[in-house]
Amino acid sequence: MTKTYDIAVIGAGVFGAWTAWHLARRGQRVVLLDSYGPANARSSSAGESRIIRMGYGADEIYTRWAQRAYTQWQDFFAAGQRSDLFHKTGVLWLAGKDGARVRDTAVVLARRGVRFEQFDLRTLEARYPQIGLDGIAGGLLEPDSGVLMARRAVAAVVEDAVRAGAEYRTVVVATPHGAGKIAAVVTSAGERIAAGEFVFACGAWLGKIFPDLLGGRIFPSRQEVFFFGIPPGDLRFSPPALPTFLFQEELSYGMPDLESRGLKIALDAHGECVEPDTQSRIVSLKSVEEIRAHVARRFPALGNAPIVETRVCQYENTSNGDFLIDQHSEMENVWFVGGGSGHGFKHGPAMGEYVAGRILDHTAGEERFSLATKDVVQRRAVY
Ligand SMILES: Cc1cc2nc3c(=O)[nH]c(=O)nc-3n(C[C@H](O)[C@H](O)[C@H](O)COP(=O)(O)OP(=O)(O)OC[C@H]3O[C@@H](n4cnc5c(N)ncnc54)[C@H](O)[C@@H]3O)c2cc1C
């Protein structure tokens, strides 16, 4: 017999997990479905750690969302006694010749009442002697921002959504077809799952599931992450000595030695276009050489440090980096929730709340998140 739900959420990454959580808390009968499992190894939410920062240059909408999400993450961790899932390392922005993004960030943070400190080069040198500051002109520190322990945080959100009444199942959902309101989705095993609304929070898979509408509008890119081993007994790369860091001009970011995993570092530039089910999860030698050269420049004491762990993941980019949150243009009870574009994790709680509001309260959609604004040519504008 077909079981009927109010809402089926397809995809148990950070966006789907928080959407199910908010909907269940609002009394909806929710089923959360995923092909491989919550924050599984192939998903964008699978990393051990993700940065939560408030700064977004002049892009105030994401600062607002990050503030809202920060409060919800903190409330969630406090309620579940999961202080282990957040590290308040601080986030340090480092600007080179072109300091525009950091200057814009300072203006927006001040307007939004976010605490921050600004440093000239001399102060940076004194505070962070372990960082190679060649070419750096100044910095901005968000002392209250830090790192979410991503994979485990998603698992905790799903567990709590289930406690609130949601059902979680591992199934593969096929592309829905129809017009107007569809009654059900079908799994790869042929099972029908009926619901009033269907939220597809499928990350890099959105283009595969909806090839006609999204195939050319979601650009999955390969992203490689490295952990460098810290010299024995050396605390210069651990918090509080080293905060989470963002080098603006090199588009690199990373975080201090958390849970003794080593210094995490990665390049935020988009890698080659990949297929999330099958892409190789082994880093390339070229990337190893590139990141080694970067680490030697920015953290000279780690120039010969061993790489103790690597990860390969994918971003699910939209044309400019704005989220995609909209209804399907033909199936009116089918929703797209994605386009995290390498910066979405932190926003999970705010995303879930927004989607619940759109579906249950019929709140107006933000134009920037609409399908209509998603181009088929990439011009990245959100960082
Ligand atoms: C290396 C890296 C570093 C990042 N760093 C940061 C950071 O520091 N800060 C930050 O805020 N963000 C960061 N991000 C971005 C952030 O991780 C993503 O925006 C976010 O995780 C996207 O979550 P999602 O739920 O949309 O997608 P996903 O986590 O990919 O989840 C999608 C889910 O859908 C499921 N699915 C797909 N198809 C089907 C189907 N047919 N049936 C059932 N289930 C299906 C998949 O199995 C998957 O679990 C980073 C991303 C990467 C890759």
Side-chain angles (χ1 to χ4, degrees):
M1 205 182 76
T2 308
K3 198 164 172 186
T4 302
Y5 301 89
D6 294 323
I7 303 180
V9 180
I10 300 103
V14 73
F15 288 170
W18 273 107
T19 300
W21 188 92
H22 277 284
L23 291 167
R25 291 271 168 146
R26 294 191 59 179
Q28 300 296 297
R29 284 170 302 158
V30 177
V31 66
L32 175 63
L33 310 167
D34 199 290
S35 311
Y36 300 108
N40 65 79
R42 289 177 172 93
S43 71
S44 295
S45 305
E48 291 304 310
S49 48
R50 294 285 184 255
I51 300 170
I52 179 162
R53 59 174 154 99
M54 303 298 113
Y56 264 90
D59 239 337
E60 187 161 347
I61 186 172
Y62 291 109
T63 297
R64 270 197 279 117
W65 270 52
Q67 286 182 284
R68 178 68 193 133
Y70 184 94
T71 303
Q72 293 189 61
W73 279 116
Q74 298 302 342
D75 290 349
F76 177 73
F77 296 148
Q81 297 182 328
R82 294 303 305 268
S83 57
D84 58 311
L85 296 178
F86 175 65
H87 294 272
K88 195 157 119 182
T89 61
V91 172
L92 179 65
W93 296 63
L94 291 155
K97 274 194 304 297
D98 176 12
R101 196 175 316 139
V102 176
R103 277 197 304 278
D104 289 345
T105 296
V107 171
V108 174
L109 294 187
R111 190 155 63 223
R112 297 287 314 163
V114 177
R115 260 184 0 119
F116 68 94
E117 292 171 66
Q118 279 180 289
F119 304 131
D120 59 15
L121 178 59
R122 188 166 295 184
T123 313
L124 286 173
E125 282 167 348
R127 281 184 71 141
Y128 306 111
Q130 72 281 55
I131 304 182
L133 292 164
D134 147 46
I136 298 297
L140 180 155
L141 178 73
E142 298 180 21
D144 298 321
S145 295
V147 176
L148 298 158
M149 300 316 282
R151 177 180 66 76
R152 287 185 282 137
V154 172
V157 174
V158 172
E159 271 171 35
D160 205 46
V162 168
R163 266 194 294 275
E167 198 178 313
Y168 169 77
R169 297 183 53 197
T170 300
V171 293
V172 184
V173 174
T175 303
H177 296 283
K181 287 198 171 211
I182 62 164
V185 288
V186 180
T187 71
S188 57
E191 183 192 356
R192 273 169 57 85
I193 297 178
E197 305 280 340
F198 300 88
V199 177
F200 282 82
C202 295
W205 287 263
L206 278 171
K208 280 179 86 173
I209 303 174
F210 299 99
D212 296 347
L213 275 182
L214 302 184
R217 289 184 166 81
I218 294 284
F219 307 86
S221 63
R222 176 178 168 89
Q223 306 298 146
E224 302 182 339
V225 175
F226 299 84
F227 292 76
F228 280 76
I230 302 303
D234 191 338
L235 295 178
R236 288 175 297 165
F237 302 97
S238 304
L242 183 69
T244 292
F245 52 88
L246 309 163
F247 287 97
Q248 292 309 287
E249 280 177 12
E250 287 132 35
L251 283 186
S252 80
Y253 67 91
M255 52 191 72
D257 181 21
L258 297 174
E259 299 184 352
S260 312
R261 310 311 302 166
L263 176 113
K264 173 175 166 177
I265 188 158
L267 300 178
D268 179 49
H270 293 168
E272 71 195 80
C273 184
V274 285
E275 208 282 319
D277 284 302
T278 57
Q279 77 146 319
S280 161
R281 303 287 168 167
I282 298 167
V283 294
S284 70
L285 278 178
K286 183 170 160 285
S287 308
V288 170
E289 282 165 17
E290 199 178 11
I291 204 76
R292 270 207 176 286
H294 182 62
V295 167
R297 179 173 182 217
R298 292 307 183 197
F299 299 96
L302 300 180
N304 294 316
I307 293 174
V308 288
E309 196 173 325
T310 59
R311 291 277 173 125
V312 178
C313 187
Q314 69 278 324
Y315 291 168
E316 3 83 63
N317 307 292
T318 56
S319 47
N320 69 350
D322 272 332
F323 298 152
L324 167 63
I325 314 165
D326 206 346
Q327 277 158 289
H328 192 286
S329 46
E330 281 156 25
M331 293 175 266
E332 63 193 65
N333 59 344
V334 169
W335 295 79
F336 305 130
V337 172
S341 305
H343 69 100
F345 193 92
K346 66 183 79 59
H347 298 288
M351 173 68 81
E353 185 176 50
Y354 176 89
V355 175
R358 290 227 50 202
I359 295 177
L360 302 181
D361 308 327
H362 310 289
T363 50
E366 162 61 45
E367 176 67 12
R368 283 180 68 170
F369 303 152
S370 68
L371 179 57
T373 59
K374 302 296 171 285
D375 207 338
V376 293
V377 179
Q378 259 192 297
R379 275 184 220 91
R380 189 174 183 186
V382 181
Y383 290 86

